[in-house]
Amino acid sequence: MVNEMIAVGLGEIKVSKNPDSTLVCFGLGSCVAVGIYDSINRIGGMAHVVLPDSSIGLAHGSPGKYADTAIPALIEQLKAAGARKSHMRVKIAGGAKMFASSPGLSNVLDVGTKNVAAVKKALASCGLRIAAEDCGGRAGRTFMLSLKDGVARVRTLGRSEIEL
Amino acid sequence: MTNGDVGLGEERERLMGRVVTAAMAKSTESLSKMTGANVSIESLKFGLVPISSAAQLAGGPDTPAAGVYLSVSGDITGHTLLLFPQSCALDLVDLLCERPKGTTEVLDCMGRSCLGEVGNITSTSFLIGLSEHTGLKLRPSPPEVVQDMVGAILSTILADLGLVSDEMFVIETEFADEHTSIAGVFLFVPMGDSLQTILSSLECHADGE
């Protein structure tokens, strides 16, 4: 069976029950990818979080854009697909600081750190703990979650691929 | 994104097309003087794109790239980003340093400086062109060179834009010369009401002509 790559774009949430698929967030910078996997029912989902808090922007569009709305929405979509919260394992990656000193991006210079903190807070509010993470730093990442076994991998330019 | 459907309306699209073409011509002229090559525009597209699909620009989100970022302040706020696939960035450094193609294998301090200057000249020339056609005062920041995946570079800018909009206005162009393919992509992203300010100023200037 050919492994299906399911790309999760900016602000998107995707859930799959196909064990031969891999959910992928390509080229994460300050964004955070949240991957959740139910190993018993073999259902997985991923959110590509762009910003920490829906109250700081115009709270419209996809709930996947903001950490505080993306996490509950992802959990609900997983439950609707048949996953159980007690079986969910969470892995996250991203939240890098890509620009060092650009004044025009002053509002978001530290958005990566804020995204990671907001994702952790939202997960805690929903009663989920993080099993593994690769966050922060100055490098972009591609985050992949295999729905065959729940193994997550992180690819970074200039570094060997790591398993979470 | 095509010039046939930019979401601006026919008249504004025509005015915007004229100023974008003129401003990019100024950029390529400056780039040609700097490189000593005959740099031209291969393609020129502009329009509104959803933020969710913006990371597909410039080769896709996990394509290795080198970018030169400048912020814009003054009468409008926004961002400019000149993005090159990694291999083209290295070729460009060879061109600027008058070395045989393939000599530069990593972007060292000198290479970053060269690339930063290319980005600086391209962006500021564009902004001068835009200013001449609109009468707007535009102030660019110093350039910042960043190397990483396209998506990782773009997403930080998109996060800034994402505070206020689900769409962004993008000018996308590719450069080339007769010897070395310089497949750079230039993005100009006005923030918030800045696109409206540019369009209003263009209309005022057009009325005065």
Side-chain angles (χ1 to χ4, degrees), chain A residues 99-152:
Chain A
F99 293 86
S101 59
S102 295
L105 291 169
S106 57
N107 290 336
V108 294
L109 267 180
D110 210 15
V111 75
T113 306
K114 288 176 184 167
N115 277 340
V116 173
V119 162
K120 288 181 175 177
K121 186 181 169 190
L123 285 166
S125 298
C126 293
L128 290 177
R129 284 191 297 179
I130 295 167
E133 66 176 286
D134 180 36
C135 297
R138 294 290 310 273
R141 298 168 171 89
T142 287
F143 179 67
M144 297 160 279
L145 177 67
S146 166
L147 301 198
K148 191 172 194 171
D149 48 18
V151 169

Side-chain angles (χ1 to χ4, degrees), chain A residues 81-100:
Chain A
R84 290 186 61 178
K85 200 169 164 187
S86 56
H87 299 148
M88 291 180 189
R89 281 172 64 81
V90 184
K91 296 176 181 179
I92 68 171
K97 186 177 177 182
M98 301 305 301
F99 293 86

Side-chain angles (χ1 to χ4, degrees), chain B:
Chain B
M1 184 173 61
T2 68
N3 282 351
D5 181 22
V6 295
L8 300 175
E10 199 176 323
E11 178 59 17
R12 288 182 154 192
E13 185 186 326
R14 190 185 63 76
L15 285 171
M16 201 66 182
R18 203 168 67 176
V19 69
V20 165
T21 304
M24 285 314 305
K26 202 172 261 296
S27 278
T28 51
E29 187 186 327
S30 300
L31 208 52
S32 295
K33 280 182 188 165
M34 185 185 179
T35 59
N38 185 22
V39 179
S40 61
I41 297 170
E42 280 283 284
S43 66
L44 183 62
K45 294 185 281 186
F46 63 94
L48 293 165
V49 293
I51 282 180
S52 59
S53 63
Q56 297 303 324
L57 296 166
D62 69 343
T63 305
V68 187
Y69 167 80
L70 279 82
S71 66
V72 183
S73 59
D75 291 338
I76 63 162
T77 55
H79 312 286
T80 69
L81 183 69
L82 183 64
L83 264 181
F84 296 100
Q86 185 73 10
S87 58
C88 287
L90 299 176
D91 288 347
L92 190 58
V93 172
D94 284 337
L95 185 72
L96 289 166
C97 295
E98 298 179 353
R99 297 191 289 225
K101 186 179 173 181
T103 306
T104 303
E105 293 178 347
V106 292
L107 210 54
D108 58 8
C109 194
M110 170 66 103
R112 291 174 72 89
S113 177
C114 281
L115 211 57
E117 202 48 43
V118 170
N120 196 23
I121 285 173
T122 306
S123 297
T124 52
S125 299
F126 173 83
L127 293 172
I128 288 167
L130 184 62
S131 182
E132 284 174 354
H133 281 76
T134 56
L136 295 169
K137 291 189 180 72
L138 307 173
R139 284 194 300 274
S141 72
E144 181 170 350
V145 178
V146 58
Q147 274 182 282
D148 215 298
M149 302 174 189
V150 166
I153 296 169
L154 276 175
S155 63
T156 304
I157 294 172
L158 297 176
D160 200 21
L161 190 70
L163 295 172
V164 291
S165 174
D166 281 335
E167 284 185 321
M168 69 172 185
F169 180 81
V170 172
I171 294 167
E172 187 184 3
T173 189
E174 292 190 11
F175 306 105
D177 83 332
E178 64 269 40
H179 303 298
T180 305
S181 171
I182 309 170
V185 175
F186 179 72
L187 303 174
F188 170 60
V189 186
M191 287 286 295
D193 295 334
S194 297
L195 177 59
Q196 193 59 42
T197 305
I198 292 168
L199 290 167
S200 301
S201 303
L202 277 174
E203 285 167 341
C204 284
H205 259 63
D207 289 344
E209 285 175 4

